[in-house]
Amino acid sequence: MTPRDVSGDDSRWSDLDRPPLNAAALRRGLVREDGLWSGIEVVTGTGSTNSDLVARAAAGKAAEGAVLVAEEQTAGRGRLDRQWTAPARSGLFFSVLLTPTDVPVARWGWLPLLTGVAVATGLSRSAGVDTALKWPNDLLVTVGGQERKAGGILAERAGDHGVVVGVGINVTLREDELPVPTAGSLALAGAVSTDRDPLLRGVLRALEEWYDRWRAAAGDPTVSGLQETYAAGCATLGRRVRAELPGDRSLVGEAVAVDGDGRLVIATEEGVQEPVGAGDIVHLRPA
């Protein structure tokens, strides 16, 4: 699907509670000569901002710090190629291009976790809502005393030197609009603000802060403080979980740590601690 551009002054929207993003104001607030963000484009709709930005990077048409935001995605993807859909202007759906060439590729796996920390940090500042991270890349909020997923992160390689990180956050989604009962939104979690412009600025500023800190430490998760901060905000740790692993294998145990490679360490009932680098994690009720 071809992206449809939108100007910052577009006043044609059907839901008065969901005004469009102001692209010009976002660029004024975020694009600086000495900063990470090199350009911000807002389109009214596209299939997937990740797919679009990966293609642009492959064609040499995007530089590091390019940000592509869609008011609506028709083919948004989560992990394991799950669909991500939401009404137009009900959330933040964006992708960024990062080229951390001064960081060993072996440490690039920390980028989705870094983004999770930045999203949680930015939303805490700008929305005033408590969030938690479910390993590896889900954003959780509390609605009616229950944990619900309000966002997700998907990282994809973009050629040999880049990574595109996509973020989807439900902002004003109402109860009757939820795709599944376990979904949530910032509004349902009692956010003090659901104005998407300052929310996006807050998240991107936090992402720039953490990315700069991580790169300055050559991607070392301990030196940069990333490993400790992620663990502190990770709702998966200390919980009994089931990991659905590749090859139709599953592992049940307590999530006890996130190791130096960003893997979730699960202690099984047999006394074995097994690191999990890829898989679907289910939070289980206490035995």
Side-chain angles (χ1 to χ4, degrees):
M1 179 176 178
T2 303
R4 303 188 301 277
D5 197 7
V6 60
S7 73
D9 298 321
D10 191 344
S11 61
R12 297 166 301 205
W13 65 84
S14 58
D15 191 330
L16 295 179
D17 292 329
R18 293 170 174 165
L21 290 164
N22 188 323
L26 288 168
R27 284 190 284 269
R28 285 196 301 270
L30 291 165
V31 178
R32 309 185 317 274
E33 186 173 342
D34 59 344
L36 171 63
W37 308 120
S38 57
I40 298 174
E41 181 181 358
V42 179
V43 297
T44 55
T46 191
S48 162
T49 57
N50 256 35
S51 296
D52 292 344
L53 198 50
V54 166
R56 291 184 189 183
K61 296 181 179 179
E64 180 173 47
V67 182
L68 178 61
V69 191
E71 296 285 30
E72 183 179 21
Q73 286 191 124
T74 58
R77 290 171 291 118
R79 289 184 63 251
L80 308 178
D81 283 330
R82 293 186 178 122
Q83 288 285 304
W84 179 285
T85 58
R89 300 175 301 281
S90 67
L92 291 172
F93 319 112
F94 65 95
S95 297
V96 303
L97 174 61
L98 304 174
T99 57
T101 52
D102 48 356
V103 173
V105 173
R107 290 175 170 168
W108 288 15
W110 274 97
L111 281 172
L113 283 72
L114 182 154
T115 303
V117 168
V119 169
T121 301
L123 292 180
S124 175
R125 294 172 181 169
S126 56
V129 63
D130 288 332
T131 59
L133 299 168
K134 177 187 172 189
W135 187 91
N137 52 16
D138 286 349
L139 181 77
L140 304 179
V141 296
T142 302
V143 179
Q146 295 183 325
E147 280 184 345
R148 297 198 193 177
K149 179 180 174 179
I153 297 159
L154 179 67
E156 299 181 80
R157 286 294 293 267
D160 294 331
H161 307 295
V163 177
V164 168
V165 184
V167 178
I169 304 168
N170 293 334
V171 178
T172 60
L173 217 61
R174 298 181 279 265
E175 196 78 45
D176 62 347
E177 295 174 322
L178 297 176
V180 292
T182 53
S185 68
L186 302 185
L188 291 174
V192 297
S193 172
T194 55
D195 185 336
R196 294 179 306 137
D197 280 272
L199 295 183
L200 182 56
R201 286 197 298 270
V203 168
L204 289 175
R205 284 170 179 153
L207 181 51
E208 181 174 7
E209 290 171 12
W210 272 106
Y211 183 65
D212 286 348
R213 185 185 306 183
W214 178 73
R215 286 184 66 179
D220 189 307
T222 303
V223 174
S224 64
L226 177 57
Q227 186 176 3
E228 180 182 7
T229 304
Y230 183 87
C234 181
T236 304
L237 293 180
R239 301 275 283 268
R240 189 166 175 267
V241 302
R242 182 178 68 251
E244 303 290 350
L245 305 175
D248 293 327
R249 191 168 76 91
S250 65
L251 181 69
V252 175
E254 181 184 350
V256 295
V258 174
D259 71 11
D261 294 320
R263 299 176 300 179
L264 184 68
V265 180
I266 298 176
T268 68
E269 294 177 353
E270 291 76 27
V272 177
Q273 292 198 354
E274 183 168 340
V276 173
D280 205 22
I281 300 298
V282 179
H283 288 177
L284 303 175
R285 296 183 183 277

